Structures are given as structure tokens and as C-alpha cells.
Amino acid sequence: MFGFFSKSSGLKDLPLETYSVEFSLDKLVPGVDNIHYDVHLSPVLCKSAYKVIRRLLGKHANVEKLLDIDRASSPAKERDDFKRLCSDVLQEAINKAKSDSEIQIDLIAQIAIVKMLTEEIQLQFKTLIDYLNNYARKLNNIAQKYEISKNLSLSKYVQIKEKLSDIQQHKNLILLNVGKELFGYLIDVQHKDLKEMREAILGIEINLPDDVFYNPILHVENPFDDFFMINEYILLGHRFEDPDNYNRLLFLVRDFLRNILLKIFLKNLSASERSKQSIKIVSQKIEKTAKDDPNTRYQEIDIWLKHIDNIDILFNSFQSKERYKTLKRQNKTGKELLNLKKQAKQQEKLLNYIYRKFKRADLIKRITAAYEMQSIYLDYCPPLVPHQVLQFLTKPRQRRAIVKQFNRLKGFYGKSFSLTPLKRKIKHLKQVTTQDKKKYLIRFLNGFARYHRDFQNFTMLKQAIDSMNLVSDKKIIDLSRENRLLYEFLLPNENEQVFEAKPIINHVIIKADLRNSTDITCQMKKRKLNPASFFGLNFFVPITDILFKYAAEKVFIEGDAIILSIIEHEDTLKGWYCVARACGLAIKMLLIVQRYNENSIQHNLPILELGIGICYNDSPPTFLFDEDKRIMISPAINAADRMSKCTKLFRKPTFNHKKPFNLYLYKSASEKGPVDATDDMLLRYNINGIELDAAGFEKLSKEIDLKSIECSIPDLQKEKIKIHTGKFPTVTGEYQSLVIREARIPEIDPDELRVIRLTDQKYYEVCTHPLLYK
């Protein structure tokens, strides 16, 4: 799901607007780990991002000379190249979203780039620290080894260590500045190159708002860090009991805003609408329902709170009064002045209301102190943190403990500290006017609303980022791509280098199982013969030689069995004969074995018997890789395996002595209930037989023109035989005939092997008997 809206509330006096950003990747398919989405971003874009980030880190950490950044390429060129590549990759994503009719494809591309950039910034910062540490270590070694350069090396060593300490101390600020500048480039691309394209191609505007990308919280390790908060937003408490901790404050602000909005809505209702029922409906509209879940209850309030301008619209009477004075000086008259005066009056009422609420919650003093201390707190931090300075100003009982800690730690910083400015600030706080406190409150509410919006957007974006894997390992890329699980966003020239076969739409599995292979192996070894070469030359090798005629591939080979597959792709109508070719291949396999058996009899060698199962699956298989070897996974493999087996009960040579066909299926009468027997419940005779499953027969009837015949062949059996016959083309253009026997599954007594009745279930044998073909 994706949604973004900002619209007028329809309030008469205060034109509030709403803000909501919601997105989800729930319509996309998880990758090879079945948990995360697999995304492969253009390697050229990633390399360009690396260059830009390295240069930006050098610039904001002031270490460009130490990093020896390539001066042949200008910062402007690297920036422009990066923006162009971002544009090309995201345009590719928009086109894919259009072709697949899924806008979440465009969304995952945007989020993947955000993930790549944020991770690369962190990685490059770590690389920078490691580089400076190694550089300092080398200088120290030089100073110890070579007396002639000792002073120079030591001086340089001290300089590097000081720079390293400074970078570590200002890590958040450096990362924040790099992130802001880098994501500024991305926002430029979104506005200049992609906004109109999305609207034109996808039909709706799905551009994420700038504040989703230009979000300071994206670039810091701790979104509650005092220094970060005081510079970017507001200072909040950390402890549960602090009245200004985030969760407690959010509850208060939401509740205040809910009451205010409810009063405004009710005020705008007519007298007839202002009934108890109307009040109930409006109240439910604002706070939804969900009494037990505060987040759900206040979801409707958040769409007002997160539109930052609403704070000034609701409470900033000072701004309205200034605007009123300006217009009056310009000799403006009439409706605009009247509206401003009315608005300022209403804002003042609301401001007084929320001011009283905050004062009652012991928040006004803390808010005022947080803003007043900003001119001096850096003089004490470190060794203190900003929150301790705030505590010193507002909590007399905690001052002694803070001073003790201060005195204990200040020796590490090699400078003197005076508490006089703090004491002056305590005195000054008592003299701050109520009007100034109200201005601080408005400023605080603005900062809090902005932080709440950014924190909520960050949380949602972080969930999306964590739900994807940026894959770069070739094996994972190949595996994910082969299974159609990879969301790949490349440049046009990179796309050309990736051979992309048409999507697989279905497949058929052929399983050929050799009978009595263990006994044959023992007999041959006793005679000092080689069973491996016997199986290879009489079965595996000759079968391999004919696979190309039927577009078949080997899936798996074991000592006594071979599994083959034929796959169908989209838009390849001329090749849609997978079941027909599987049947034709199975017949050829039996003929090959029969021919080699004749030779074996002449030379007193064992003869081979087979059982073949053919199972069709109307969906693509999945794949995994063993090194470079592709391995197929499909439920059709297990089904074909069962179809190729022969129930032990029917392996006696006398069982099929007088039976004309090589495949028979039975249902045991001991099975309870009238339900149809599943494949696991069936008894199967399959000696040199080929069984085709029902789904395969249905597909075969669509592939070729099958003629159905009920015929009497006394030389085979007394009962009529129902057969289906037709021809199909091999890959090489030859035509091969097929005869499929259809029969009903009888229910038998498992002890006497006596037929009790015929069920309505059917089975299909791909026949090889010459009389049927005649």
C-alpha cells in the first residue's frame, strides 16, 4: 500500500491541513531466504555513490588532503554523474512498475537507493577512521625508527590523533551534514526528472514527500541523542519519570490536540447538528475507535499533528498580530484585517488553554530552560551532557550531584570551568515573562511535531529498509534471478548485458526408475563385471544423446534412476509441446532399453526393466544452485517418482503373465470411506510402463489434436480399449505418434488380488504395444 495526502480540513476559522505518509511492500514477493526482498542495484550507481560519499566525508570532516582524493575529477562532475545515474535507475524502476502494473516496484527502488546510501555513509565513515588510525600508526613507527625525521613524524602523528579525536567527537554532525547534502541531490532528481514522469506513466503522484528523504534521523545512530536533539529539534527527557520524555509528551500533545479539534468541529456545527448523536459521531471521527490501543486511537490526530504548519495556525497569535500590524501600516482594510484579528483572538484562546495544561504538567519551566541554556550549554558539554545542564537549571536537589560529577571529570579536559554563567541563567529564568514562555512553547510544539513526523517516517522507512537485501554476490543474484524473485534496477547498458530468458510458465517431469538395480549390481560383481559401465552404456548415455530432440534437460541422476524436465516459457507458442514431447521421450527411452536388452541376452548379460512416471505442473519450478549447477525443486518430481514405482506386491513374475499392458493401477478395498483414493493410497504395477498424470493428459489434449477411440483388439484383451491418439513435432521437426490408453481404476481385494468393482477414477498409460499403433 502507498498513500500520501495533504488536504484542507474544511474548518472555517482555522484552515488546518492533514499529513499522512503510508507505504508497504506487501504485494511484492520475498527473495531466496523467504523473508527479505532481493534487490540488485546498478553497480555503476553504487560505485558513483562511493565516490561522492568519500568526497563529502572528506569535505565535512576536513580531511580531503589526508584522503588524497582524486583531483582529476571535480566535485561538480561527480555530483552530476551521481544524479544522472540515480535518474536513469529510477526511470527504469518506473517503467518496470508500469509494465508489471505494480507501483510498489517503483517504491522498492526508491527505498533500496536510500538503504544503499545510508549504509555506504556508515561504511565510508568507518573506513575513514581505520585509515586515519593506520596512518597515525605508520607515523609513530617512522618516528621510532628514523631519528632524522623524528620530530616531523611526531608532530604529524599528534596532528592526526587530534583530528581523529575531533572526528569521533563530532561523528553525528559529520554524518548528518554528509547525509543532508547527499540526499539533497536525490531530492533534486525526484523533482526535476521523475515527478512528471511518475504522474504521466503511473497515472497518480506517488512521489514520497521531501521530508521522507531529507530526514535527519536517517543519519544518526541514536535518534534521542541530546546534542542531535537540541541542534535539530528540541531537548527531551530520557527517563520514564521525566514529564518531557517522548512517549509521555506525545500522549499529552495528542490529547490536547484531540480536545482542541473536537471543540473546533463542534463550534462549526449548526445548532440543529449539535445534538448528542452528532457530538458522538464527530468524537468518533477524530479519535477513531480502538480504546485499548493508543496508537490506533490517535492515528486520526497524528495526521493533523504531523502537518507542522498546523501548530502556528492553531497557537501562534504573535505571528497573526505581527501580520495584522504590518497590513495596517500598509493601510489595508476590510475582510483580511478582520479575519486576522478574529484568527489571532482564537489562537490566543487556544494558546492559553495549552499553556495552562503544560504548566500543570510541570513542562513550561523545562521548556523555557531548554531554550535559554542554548547559549551556554556547549561550555559545559563535555564533561556534562545537555540534559544534565537542563537538570542543573531546573532541579535544585540534583545540583550537588551534578557538580560532584562535573568536578570529577573536568580534569580530563585540561581547561577550567566556571559555574557562574549557570547561576546567572538560573536567576534569569525567574525573570522570563509569560509572553516569552508562550513563544518558547510554540517553538517547542513546532519542534516536537517535526520530530514526531520525522521519527514516525523513519520508523516506517526503517521497517521497509530492513525488509530487503541489497544483493551483490553473484551466486545469490543468479539464484534469485533464476527463480524470478529478484527486483533488479540497472542502467540501460547494464540491462543489455543481462540475458533474460522469458519467464517459465509450466514444466513437466519425467522420472525413469530401473527395476532390481541392486540385484543386477550384485550379480555382475560376482561375475567380476562392471555394473557402472553397464548401466551407463545401456541406459544413461544413449538417453542423454536424444534429449535435445525433445528440449529435455537432466534434473538429477542417481545409480538406478534419471529425472528429466521439459520447461515452457512465455511467448514461445511453437515450443508448447512439453507433455507430448515428454511422452515421446519416454517411449524412446523404453525402445532404447529394449534394443540394448536384445544385445544383453545374446551375451548373457542382465536385462533392464523400467518404470516411468510423467507429471505436469502448471507453474514454474524453483531453483537453487550448487556452485554453478542449477538444481530444480518441484512437487512434480515427487509425484513422478511415485508414478514410476511398482508396488512390491506386484513384482512377482507371474502377476502380469497374461496381461497385455505394462501399467495397471488399483485401489485397495481395505481403504475406508467412499472418498476417491489419493496417489499415496493406490497400488501400482509398472514394469516397462509409462504413466501420465491427469493434469498432463489435459495439457496434452490442448497441445495436439487427440482423436479418441474405443476399439476391440481380441489379441490384446476381450474388453474394449479406450485410446487417444495423435502426433506431435520434435525439436528437429520430425513427427512422432502417440497412443494413450485411458482406463478406470479397479478396487481389489489386497489378499487375493481379486477385482471387486471399477471406480470412477481414471489413469493414463502412454502405450508402446505395436498392435495399438497398427
Side-chain angles (χ1 to χ4, degrees), residues 642-643 645-647 650 664-668 671 676-685 691 745-748 759 761-763:
R642 290 194 298 271
M643 292 161 65
K645 300 294 183 188
C646 183
T647 305
F650 299 142
Y664 291 93
L665 267 67
Y666 302 94
K667 179 189 175 214
S668 174
E671 300 293 346
D676 289 343
T678 64
D679 193 70
D680 291 331
M681 297 160 58
L682 294 174
L683 305 174
R684 183 175 274 107
Y685 172 85
E691 183 180 352
I745 298 175
E747 187 176 56
I748 65 168
T759 69
Q761 286 181 270
K762 298 173 183 177
Y763 68 94

Side-chain angles (χ1 to χ4, degrees), residues 40-101:
H40 181 215
L41 282 177
S42 161
V44 176
L45 171 61
C46 295
K47 187 175 181 180
S48 174
Y50 164 83
K51 289 181 179 178
V52 171
I53 291 169
R54 188 167 184 267
R55 190 178 287 276
L56 289 175
L57 271 172
K59 169 185 169 184
H60 290 289
N62 196 23
V63 290
E64 288 174 293
K65 291 181 180 178
L66 286 172
L67 289 176
D68 193 26
I69 292 172
D70 182 15
R71 296 179 185 178
S73 178
S74 69
K77 183 179 184 306
E78 288 183 354
R79 177 200 63 213
D80 292 343
D81 286 346
F82 169 74
K83 291 169 73 172
R84 174 179 54 79
L85 293 170
C86 271
S87 177
D88 289 347
V89 168
L90 287 172
Q91 284 181 34
E92 171 73 7
I94 293 170
N95 289 326
K96 282 188 176 182
K98 176 66 174 178
S99 64
D100 290 3
S101 301

Side-chain angles (χ1 to χ4, degrees), residues 51 82 114 130 200 254 317 394 486 527 631 637 668 722 746:
K51 289 181 179 178
F82 169 74
V114 171
D130 290 343
R254 280 170 167 172
S317 59
T394 58
L486 186 64
R527 296 169 58 187
I631 298 173
I637 294 174
S668 174
K722 185 171 184 179

